[in-house]
Amino acid sequence: MTAASPTGVLLVNVGSPSAPTAPAVRRYLREFLGDPDVVKLNRVVWWLLLNGIILPIRSPKSAKLYQSVWTEHGSPLIHNSRLQRDALQRELGSSFHVALAMRYGEPSIAQGLDELEARGCREFVLVPMFPQYSGTTTGTVEKAVKAALARRAGKLALRVVPPHFDDPGYIEAVATRIRESTAGARVEHHVFSFHGLPERYVRDGDPYRDHCVATANALAQRLGLKDGEWSLVFQSRFGREPWLQPYAAEAVPALAKRYKALAVACPGFAADCLETLEEICEGLGHDFKAAGGESWTVAPCLNDHPRWIAALATLVRRAAVGS
């Protein structure tokens, strides 16, 4: 990397509505669900479904869910991502400049690249904030960044942090989060919940499920869990086609018949967001207790935990030198 200028670092997560209102959520969902790398259906049919049925119905409902997790700092995902950015900047030091972007919404990828160029960066490391690779997350981020670079007059050289689903530093950071959260708590069984994906995508070659399984196995080993002491589930199913199973909404309440105290972690989410704070902490926890469960312990996501920031810095430095 060039010594005369800082190495740029661009953290990119999925994004968030700008406000917990139906119009803002509608704008966000239109961009997110309109991405052909996310929803792989006939574009004309999907456009009619999205704009005629899904957005009018889902936007107000999702806005209410966002209202339940919105904070004085705004969107939890954006706030936690800013904390990650600032902590990583401190960890990396002045030879790097860390910027933040979202695949959908703001701060946009273009804004992130503008910031890096304004700071004199000639090369940068792209960090898709998804430990497990999927074309719907890391894939679309890389595509969007490369497209944005192609439209720019300046030439920013690009390097990418690869999927880190089994990276020892990442695994230890998640394990530490779980240990800290369960210290002194009653735990009879552990659950690792990952965002879902249509089964069709995996059949077509997406490695996401294999990466999730590898992460769960590595975590179980790091935590000293034996077979039968933990479960892997997939959350956030959308639509009617089959998604990766077991479904969290079905499997977790069913666990209440055997285990009254669960510890849950979401290793695929680098930062707490709607899917972890509302769907898991609140919604799934309520369903587990309604099914007879008693104790529900959820480990926070990595956020700006020091172990994760140190591991992330190692991943960035490694990518920066091309190793």
Side-chain angles (χ1 to χ4, degrees):
M1 288 292 185
T2 305
S5 61
T7 298
V9 180
L10 186 63
L11 306 182
V12 184
N13 212 313
V14 63
S16 172
S18 58
T21 63
V25 171
R26 183 171 184 141
R27 287 192 298 272
Y28 170 73
L29 290 179
R30 181 182 289 114
E31 183 182 7
F32 174 43
L33 298 177
D35 185 344
D37 288 322
V38 172
V39 180
K40 301 179 182 182
L41 294 173
N42 178 280
R43 301 322 296 166
V44 174
V45 172
W46 179 241
W47 187 93
L48 293 172
L49 286 173
L50 180 63
N51 291 279
I53 299 174
I54 295 172
L55 291 180
I57 294 175
R58 187 169 180 179
S59 298
K61 291 182 179 180
S62 293
K64 291 182 180 179
L65 298 179
Y66 275 105
Q67 289 167 14
S68 71
V69 300
W70 215 255
T71 73
E72 61 179 330
H73 303 290
S75 160
L77 175 63
I78 302 297
H79 176 60
N80 286 317
S81 296
R82 286 171 177 158
L83 293 177
Q84 289 175 330
R85 175 200 61 195
D86 296 345
L88 183 61
Q89 182 66 72
R90 292 191 294 271
E91 183 76 15
L92 290 172
S94 59
S95 60
F96 290 82
H97 180 76
V98 184
L100 175 66
M102 296 290 146
R103 173 62 182 87
Y104 315 101
E106 293 188 346
S108 68
I109 287 172
Q111 289 170 327
L113 294 176
D114 285 344
E115 180 180 334
L116 295 182
E117 286 189 333
R119 291 301 299 264
C121 301
R122 298 173 186 170
E123 301 166 301
F124 77 104
V125 176
L126 172 62
V127 188
M129 297 296 280
F130 315 102
Q132 299 77 27
Y133 180 95
S134 171
T136 63
T137 52
T138 301
T140 189
V141 164
E142 290 186 14
K143 184 182 293 186
V145 168
K146 289 175 182 177
L149 288 174
R151 293 190 295 267
R152 305 177 82 84
K155 296 296 182 182
L156 276 168
L158 168 66
R159 287 190 173 133
V160 183
V161 168
H164 44 279
F165 57 94
D166 59 354
D167 175 76
Y170 156 71
I171 294 298
E172 178 56 33
V174 178
T176 298
R177 268 300 206 193
I178 295 171
R179 292 191 200 99
E180 292 174 348
S181 302
T182 57
R186 175 188 171 197
V187 177
E188 298 175 0
H189 193 77
H190 284 260
V191 175
F192 305 134
S193 183
F194 296 84
H195 199 289
L197 191 72
E199 289 181 351
R200 171 168 53 94
Y201 296 11
V202 173
R203 289 197 302 270
D204 289 343
D206 196 302
Y208 179 71
R209 180 185 175 86
D210 289 344
H211 287 190
C212 292
V213 170
T215 295
N217 281 318
L219 271 174
Q221 183 177 17
R222 195 72 188 89
L223 292 167
L225 301 177
K226 301 176 183 177
D227 291 346
E229 295 181 341
W230 61 276
S231 299
L232 181 155
V233 300
F234 294 94
Q235 64 182 88
S236 309
R237 181 188 178 196
F238 172 71
R240 295 182 178 181
E241 74 171 301
W243 279 39
L244 296 178
Q245 298 185 44
Y247 299 136
E250 298 174 359
V252 171
L255 287 173
K257 298 177 181 178
R258 288 178 289 162
Y259 309 107
K260 301 303 179 184
L262 296 186
V264 185
C266 300
F269 295 86
D272 274 307
C273 55
L274 181 72
E275 287 82 359
T276 63
L277 298 173
E278 194 285 325
E279 184 180 358
I280 297 298
C281 292
E282 299 298 329
L284 195 58
H286 175 272
D287 293 346
F288 172 69
K289 291 183 177 179
E294 297 172 0
S295 178
W296 181 252
T297 303
V298 180
C301 290
L302 293 170
N303 297 328
D304 60 341
H305 192 284
R307 280 195 178 272
W308 167 232
I309 298 303
L312 188 57
T314 297
L315 291 170
V316 169
R317 293 189 183 103
R318 191 181 299 157
V321 297
S323 64

